[in-house]
Amino acid sequence: MTTATPVEPWRQYLCRACGLVYDEALGDPDSGLAPGTRFEDIPDDWVCPLCGVMKADFEPYDGAAPSGAEHALPAAPSSPRRTGTGVVIVGAGIAGWSAAEALRALDDDVPITLVTACGGDRYHKPELSVALGRGLAPPDLIRERGIDAARRLNVTLLPRTFAVGLSPEARQLRTTRGALRYTKLVLAPGARPALPDTLPAQLCWRINDLDGWSGLHAKLDGKSARVAVVGAGMVGCELAEDLARAGHRVTLIDINAHPLTGLVPAVVAEQLIAKLREAGIGYLGSTRIRRIDRPAGHALRIAIDADRGEQTDTLEVDEIVAATGLVTQPRLAQTAGLAFDRGIAVDPRTMQTSDEHIYALGDCVSVAGVPCRFIEPIARQASTLAHHALARPHDGYRHAVPVIRLKTRSLPIVLRGMPVAGGVWDAPKTAGDGLLVNQWHDNRIVARLDAGHIAPRDAE
């Protein structure tokens, strides 16, 4: 007698970026995956057909409430002061929680529901680029558990829940837990790392949230590793120094000759390179990555083209961290017909989008086509939208470039104002061990830079 081999049930996998569900039974015929294609049999270079992230950005999904459902809190009791269905907020980063705080400060009763793809815990994102060198672990970075913040603010928290669709006409947000109706909607999903084609998502860490940082922390904990940081912008420079302070051998790679291109003059960039090298960090400027691979049982290999005297063709490392900028995911906004220009376009006086019932703030927004990816304005943006959404008088948000601080101990930099293309940096003035330099444009100073003599603030 022959015993039939049980057929393994079809499984589903959820895209952590956009909420698309890959069903093994259905496959993805448009991408060449026939129905019945098991997830483990999908090529590693397959991408999400909706948002373009890699296979590595999918996680198992059982079709029920995602993990963390026990943290969902019931909505506040009914109140005669309420109208409609209340406010729904998408995103539990600094922007999303700031919006919840601002709304609750004005109205004790308005129902607030916060939908987030993460667990909802509150932490200060700028600390992610300085935490390894301080010997911190993931629990050390959490300032308030999401469940505790939700109870304190009387907010219904839906953790590990993805927003997958938006119908402005019906005032309905579709999520992996079902549809939510809203009176007002606040979009605060942040921005996601932008990966060039030569940086495979499954081989690169992206430190844009606590989950990503926690994964890298677990991988490096107790080890001394060779780490390549790709991208020498502010975050890349901070992460490179932080990794070096934690005892790792770090190489910082950038396609430009100097770090912080567009933000600082060459004289400051060259001083930063020297200080990074003194800290044990290798800097490879004017370097283009051709490909990255991991031969079986071997370290990661980075094939590079370099415009330098000493040519390096291959770099072997244990881990790669991508710090190549951010991009706002357009799918949710664009399918809803919201104006989008490198971010969700908002009226800076009210933080309203092109739909009068939908607001946005934080990393996901753009003002006059310019993304607004700074921490400092978020509190003012949240206060503005809360007042407007609740029909309370307010002076409105006035957008201005905040003070920018580079948190590298080897060469702290403070920038006031935003440098412009075509601006001219004047000759630097020395101030102790540091430099003071201004950028001029149209006969006026548009940016002031202090480098080296201002100590970085530990809390930032």
Side-chain angles (χ1 to χ4, degrees):
M1 179 176 179
T2 303
T3 303
T5 303
V7 177
E8 185 179 353
W10 299 117
R11 296 163 298 182
Q12 294 181 327
Y13 291 81
L14 181 75
C15 175
R16 292 193 296 261
C18 73
L20 175 121
V21 174
Y22 174 79
D23 190 324
E24 291 181 332
L26 302 177
D28 180 18
D30 291 339
S31 300
L33 303 180
T37 302
R38 294 291 186 182
F39 189 77
E40 59 264 25
D41 296 329
I42 297 175
D44 287 339
D45 60 357
W46 176 76
V47 299
C48 173
L50 273 185
C51 70
V53 302
M54 306 294 287
K55 175 183 174 182
D57 288 296
F58 280 70
E59 64 182 20
Y61 176 59
D62 62 9
S67 60
E70 68 277 7
H71 289 174
L73 302 181
S78 178
S79 165
R81 290 175 58 190
R82 291 186 188 166
T83 57
T85 54
V87 181
V88 173
I89 301 171
V90 178
I94 294 176
W97 279 115
S98 295
E101 294 268 11
L103 288 161
R104 185 57 74 223
L106 294 175
D107 192 320
D108 292 334
D109 298 324
V110 61
I112 302 173
T113 301
L114 196 151
V115 176
T116 178
C118 67
D121 293 332
R122 302 189 70 172
Y123 63 97
H124 192 48
K125 184 176 175 181
E127 290 183 346
L128 298 180
S129 61
V130 295
L132 289 170
R134 295 176 179 174
L136 301 179
D140 300 325
L141 296 176
I142 296 174
R143 299 189 171 191
E144 186 178 23
R145 292 192 310 154
I147 187 172
D148 295 331
R151 285 174 176 156
R152 176 173 59 82
L153 294 171
N154 196 14
V155 166
T156 301
L157 175 65
L158 301 180
R160 307 294 176 189
T161 303
F162 295 80
V164 297
L166 176 57
S167 301
E169 300 83 3
R171 296 200 208 175
Q172 185 180 82
L173 177 75
R174 297 187 300 280
T175 80
T176 48
R177 290 188 190 227
L180 299 172
R181 296 205 59 210
Y182 60 84
T183 304
K184 301 293 183 182
L185 178 68
V186 178
L187 299 178
R192 64 181 176 87
L195 281 181
D197 293 339
T198 53
L199 298 184
Q202 69 273 20
L203 298 180
C204 300
W205 295 99
R206 285 91 77 202
I207 311 304
N208 191 48
D209 53 36
L210 184 58
D211 286 347
W213 184 88
S214 299
L216 179 63
H217 176 273
K219 189 74 172 180
L220 296 178
D221 194 26
K223 301 176 183 177
S224 177
R226 300 166 297 173
V227 183
V229 177
V230 182
M234 293 184 62
V235 172
C237 290
E238 291 173 359
L239 285 171
E241 186 183 77
D242 193 45
L243 285 159
R245 290 182 62 216
H248 304 291
R249 289 161 287 169
V250 182
T251 304
L252 181 59
I253 303 171
D254 199 88
I255 194 172
N256 299 295
H258 295 115
L260 305 181
T261 296
L263 283 179
V264 304
V267 63
V268 173
E270 288 165 1
Q271 187 175 97
L272 177 60
I273 292 173
K275 293 293 186 180
L276 291 173
R277 286 176 172 158
E278 287 177 12
I281 300 165
Y283 180 72
L284 299 180
S286 302
T287 299
R288 185 182 302 274
I289 293 177
R290 294 200 304 264
R291 66 181 179 277
I292 298 173
D293 55 31
R294 188 197 294 273
H298 292 275
L300 288 160
R301 293 191 311 197
I302 306 175
I304 58 177
D305 290 325
D307 300 328
R308 300 183 318 281
E310 49 182 299
Q311 184 77 21
T312 303
D313 294 319
T314 303
L315 179 67
E316 286 199 353
V317 298
D318 302 302
E319 305 295 337
I320 298 172
V321 177
T324 47
L326 298 174
V327 62
T328 301
Q329 171 58 254
R331 184 188 59 83
L332 191 65
Q334 290 183 340
T335 55
L338 301 181
F340 191 92
D341 186 0
R342 300 178 63 200
I344 301 171
V346 295
D347 181 341
R349 298 166 300 174
T350 63
M351 305 309 296
Q352 273 182 310
T353 69
S354 55
D355 184 290
E356 64 176 327
H357 303 295
I358 302 176
Y359 298 78
L361 78 164
D363 284 0
C364 71
V365 307
S366 67
V367 177
V370 178
C372 184
R373 297 191 178 123
F374 303 102
I375 299 296
E376 185 272 334
I378 287 177
R380 293 184 288 114
Q381 293 174 357
S383 177
T384 293
L385 76 82
H387 278 80
H388 196 269
L390 297 175
R392 306 293 177 85
H394 194 252
D395 291 337
Y397 170 70
R398 288 180 174 84
H399 184 63
V401 177
V403 176
I404 300 172
R405 290 179 172 86
L406 181 72
K407 302 184 294 295
T408 48
R409 292 194 176 188
S410 55
L411 186 71
I413 292 174
V414 177
L415 180 64
R416 295 172 173 84
M418 183 59 67
V420 299
V424 177
W425 293 97
D426 59 19
K429 300 176 182 177
T430 58
D433 293 333
L435 298 174
L436 301 175
V437 58
N438 298 322
Q439 191 194 55
W440 294 78
H441 185 69
D442 289 340
N443 296 318
R444 63 185 180 91
I445 295 176
V446 294
R448 298 179 182 272
L449 185 147
D450 303 336
H453 65 281
I454 298 179
R457 293 188 288 185
D458 288 342
E460 293 185 335

